[in-house]
Amino acid sequence: ADIIAACLSCKMAFHSPSVEGALKCESLTRSLLFHNDNKKDTATTATRLSAWTIFQLARHAYTTANFGIAHDLFTQKLLSTSSSTEKSYLWLSALSKTAKAEDIISKEGILGVSRASMLLDSSIAHIQSLSSLSGVGSQLDDYGGDDDEDEDDNENPFSFQLHLLHHRLDFLNLCVTARGLCAEMKLTGSVPTKGTRSFLHQRNACHCFYALASRYFRLYSLHGIMHTQQTRTSLRMLYALCRFMGDALSKVFAEAVVGSSGGSNASRLSRIHSLATSPWPVGDSTHPASNLIRILKEKVIEPMGESIDPI
């Protein structure tokens, strides 16, 4: 199990900057888990391990971005043998579908969003059913409400998971919307007229990413202390990613965004931007997502603010 865990860790950029090395580690992991070259013993390594050990390996595979292996472990090694109760079946199914959705996104990018979204919707439905079986409400009463409202679903033990999946689904949908708006502007070769559908969608796309960043920050503030450092780091990176997308679209759709930050929008945007001054841990600057955001800002986003014609 320790060898398998070490191989899974190679997928992370911290351990293996070489793509070939990461692929070799993934191949070795699959060989150890699902194949056996010893014909005298037909049992694979995963068969000889306990269900709890397999679950820990699947969890480690998920946290090291080996989503395909995590999905296979949840589906082939746990759902088929260890889902002895309805609750365990629902929980393992939700984890399996979420891992499959992330695997599709990591391999297909924006082209796999539609398939991944359906899996995330199914995962949310499974957790809501599990929440109902546990004797608590399956819905989050404040989901979609104002950002200043207090959480009133603390009695739901799955509120963090439901919020996280909802936010992930919202992010994917916003990315699809932003891609469509960019394609439309590229095809027409002009900016939309003020007051038209495209103009309003471009303006709102920026605000939606900022609002989602606020929700991630609220989720981090409410639940972060109850989770591991890795989870807290992931929430901070998701907040930073949403804020980056809002900043990027505000440059791309500058004509629609300029002059539209009045009233409640101005208050929301000022609150979002103030979150960026929060004292984040120094280690976040070395995170792969943080490095990618910094490079994109320096090479792509910041030059958009410069004049093309010499002054």
Side-chain angles (χ1 to χ4, degrees), residues 101-116 168 172 175-176 179:
E102 295 298 336
D103 184 50
I104 292 174
I105 292 296
S106 65
K107 293 179 178 179
E108 302 180 18
I110 194 70
L111 299 179
V113 167
S114 58
R115 293 173 56 205
R168 181 59 170 165
L172 295 178
C175 287
V176 173
R179 181 174 183 261

Side-chain angles (χ1 to χ4, degrees), residues 284-306:
D284 282 4
S285 61
T286 61
H287 194 279
S290 180
N291 289 329
L292 179 61
I293 290 174
R294 185 177 64 255
I295 293 173
L296 290 175
K297 277 187 175 181
E298 294 176 354
K299 303 296 184 180
V300 180
I301 304 305
E302 291 179 357
M304 289 184 182
E306 302 175 358

Side-chain angles (χ1 to χ4, degrees), residues 111-231:
L111 299 179
V113 167
S114 58
R115 293 173 56 205
S117 297
M118 289 188 293
L119 289 168
L120 290 176
D121 273 327
S122 180
S123 179
I124 291 173
H126 277 70
I127 295 180
Q128 287 175 338
S129 299
L130 180 59
S131 181
S132 298
L133 287 176
S134 301
V136 295
S138 60
Q139 301 294 330
L140 300 179
D141 296 333
D142 72 328
Y143 184 77
D146 190 86
D147 292 337
D148 293 328
E149 294 181 1
D150 294 332
E151 298 276 353
D152 57 359
D153 56 353
N154 292 329
E155 295 182 356
N156 189 339
F158 304 100
S159 61
F160 175 79
Q161 289 81 3
L162 288 172
H163 277 303
L164 190 63
L165 289 175
H166 274 299
H167 295 348
R168 181 59 170 165
L169 192 58
D170 288 341
F171 179 82
L172 295 178
N173 290 332
L174 285 175
C175 287
V176 173
T177 300
R179 181 174 183 261
L181 292 173
C182 290
E184 181 180 356
M185 191 167 61
K186 182 179 179 181
L187 288 172
T188 59
S190 61
V191 297
T193 305
K194 185 176 181 179
T196 60
R197 175 193 62 84
S198 297
F199 179 89
L200 296 176
H201 283 186
Q202 288 184 4
R203 184 186 65 182
N204 291 333
C206 304
H207 299 329
C208 286
F209 274 111
Y210 285 136
L212 188 56
S214 177
R215 291 183 180 276
Y216 271 122
F217 185 83
R218 185 175 61 165
L219 191 65
Y220 171 78
S221 301
L222 291 172
H223 299 278
I225 195 173
M226 306 300 295
H227 295 275
T228 64
Q229 180 59 43
Q230 187 172 20
T231 299

